[in-house]
Amino acid sequence: MAEEEEETKSVQIHNWAELTQLCLVNILSHLSIEDRWRGAMFVCKSWLQACKDPNLNSVIDLEAQFIQSVAESSTRYWNREFESKIDSMVRSVVIWSDGYLNFVRVRHCSDRSIALIAERSPNLQVLSIQRCPHVTDETMSKIASGCPLLRELDISFCYQISHKSLALIGQHCPNLRILRRNLMTQVNPSQQEPFVPREYVDTCPQDGDSEAAAIGKFMPQLVQLELQFSKLTNKGLALISEGCMNLEHLDLFGCTNVTSWDIANASSNMKQLKTLKKPHLCLESQTERYGHWQLYDDRFQTDFFRI
């Protein structure tokens, strides 16, 4: 009995809540963003404070979670409630990053979070905001002036962003090398994502040549350009080929307003071109579906997540 008591006294009991901030940040850096937001933040106050450290908030990347979640798809991702949750998460990361945020890859956010990124993230280099129906030209103009180091931009399926934003981004972000401006197919309704509101699909931008003109005039440094299902014609494609002569990768899948002859003429100007994805009139399904992701659960309703 005495021996057992002696062994118990010799055992050191560690209180994880008393670890130094530096140690906690080092430990938490090995966790995924999902593990931090769904678990570590709720351990204790010191862990919560560590999760707010700028070193853990220079990147917010939710794309993998969206893609990997293959449960039942739902229109809930397109409603304001879900959008508000995404905005709250993004705004928290922006604030905690203390100006060091350099990588953002999210979906279904709005002007509310993007405006804060523009205001507080001068070091931003990658911005991917696919499927954001409430991100507008007004806020993208702020991104153009507030994030001059931008080198990669994905505004696919963002239908309130127009050629005006493309022009401003090109003028103010000389480091931009990658642009993704893919649209949803309107050629074959059966290939459309079933959970996307029909009224939103119908707002698909029709001014492909205006966007192409902005790209060709203000983004000569591009090396990768994606324009799936764009409405650009031979005129727009010619402007891109004349202005973006450093292009190495060009994706024109679903661009049915351009012909093989148009593409051959345009590609002759782009001597650096390595890969070219052609329209293909027999369109294959490019639908990318994702379903319920438990990260956005009821805990977003707590005061902590309200900005």
Side-chain angles (χ1 to χ4, degrees):
M1 188 68 178
E3 292 181 0
E4 291 180 0
E5 290 180 358
E6 194 65 32
E7 290 180 3
T8 302
K9 290 180 181 179
S10 66
V11 175
Q12 294 183 345
I13 300 176
H14 297 283
N15 187 346
W16 284 67
E18 294 179 358
L19 288 173
T20 65
Q21 177 87 356
L22 184 61
C23 287
L24 278 175
V25 170
N26 183 45
I27 293 170
L28 295 173
S29 67
H30 296 283
L31 299 180
S32 67
I33 187 171
E34 184 175 0
D35 289 336
R36 292 204 306 272
W37 277 76
R38 296 186 63 195
M41 284 185 180
F42 301 97
V43 172
C44 59
K45 288 184 178 180
S46 61
W47 282 51
L48 173 58
Q49 287 305 119
C51 286
K52 295 182 180 181
D53 190 280
N55 291 305
L56 295 178
N57 292 284
S58 62
V59 172
I60 176 169
D61 186 357
L62 308 182
E63 187 67 9
Q65 282 82 358
F66 277 120
I67 293 175
Q68 292 171 6
S69 181
V70 293
E72 183 181 358
S73 300
S74 172
T75 56
R76 69 183 290 266
Y77 294 104
W78 293 85
N79 65 40
R80 285 288 195 172
E81 181 182 1
F82 184 76
E83 183 179 85
S84 178
K85 293 175 182 179
I86 296 285
D87 280 337
S88 292
M89 186 176 188
V90 173
R91 286 173 63 87
S92 294
V93 171
V94 173
I95 293 170
W96 299 340
S97 71
D98 196 25
Y100 291 100
L101 184 66
N102 60 63
F103 190 108
V104 175
R105 199 181 297 278
V106 299
R107 300 185 183 189
H108 301 290
C109 60
S110 75
D111 278 348
R112 182 170 173 264
S113 56
I114 300 304
L116 191 65
I117 290 175
E119 179 184 337
R120 300 196 181 190
S121 306
N123 296 303
L124 189 69
Q125 296 185 37
V126 176
L127 179 62
S128 175
I129 49 173
Q130 290 188 36
R131 294 168 170 81
C132 296
H134 299 114
V135 173
T136 64
D137 280 334
E138 180 180 0
T139 300
M140 290 306 297
S141 68
K142 297 176 182 177
I143 288 289
S145 58
C147 306
L149 302 181
L150 201 65
R151 60 179 175 81
E152 180 178 337
L153 176 65
D154 189 344
I155 50 174
S156 298
F157 322 116
C158 297
Y159 291 172
Q160 289 199 57
I161 298 176
S162 73
H163 62 93
K164 297 177 183 179
S165 291
L166 294 174
L168 289 173
I169 292 290
Q171 288 174 296
H172 293 279
C173 304
N175 295 327
L176 192 70
R177 296 294 183 270
I178 300 173
L179 174 65
R180 296 184 177 91
R181 175 53 167 171
N182 300 314
L183 306 179
M184 296 178 189
T185 176
Q186 289 187 307
V187 178
N188 186 350
S190 66
Q191 295 178 352
Q192 293 169 358
E193 300 180 25
F195 50 90
V196 179
R198 180 68 212 186
E199 59 271 20
Y200 185 66
V201 175
D202 292 339
T203 63
C204 180
Q206 304 295 318
D207 55 347
D209 283 344
S210 296
E211 294 188 357
I215 293 169
K217 183 175 182 179
F218 298 110
M219 299 181 179
Q221 69 279 18
L222 285 181
V223 296
Q224 181 174 337
L225 176 61
E226 295 182 14
L227 296 172
Q228 291 187 11
F229 296 103
S230 171
K231 299 299 188 294
L232 88 165
T233 66
N234 173 46
K235 178 182 177 181
L237 183 57
L239 291 173
I240 289 174
S241 69
E242 294 167 5
C244 304
M245 301 183 70
N246 293 318
L247 273 180
E248 297 179 6
H249 309 281
L250 178 60
D251 188 346
L252 298 174
F253 185 86
C255 298
T256 55
N257 290 333
V258 293
T259 65
S260 297
W261 178 261
D262 299 331
I263 294 173
N265 285 339
S267 58
S268 65
N269 290 332
M270 297 179 282
K271 306 299 183 182
Q272 307 300 320
L273 201 60
K274 297 177 181 178
T275 60
L276 172 62
K277 198 166 187 179
K278 298 182 179 181
H280 298 303
L281 293 179
C282 182
L283 299 177
E284 302 174 27
S285 175
Q286 296 294 299
T287 302
E288 177 185 280
R289 300 182 180 181
Y290 55 83
H292 183 64
W293 181 28
Q294 294 296 330
L295 173 59
Y296 303 104
D297 58 16
D298 291 340
R299 278 178 287 201
F300 270 96
Q301 304 304 319
T302 63
D303 290 338
F304 170 70
F305 289 101
R306 295 201 184 106
I307 305 302

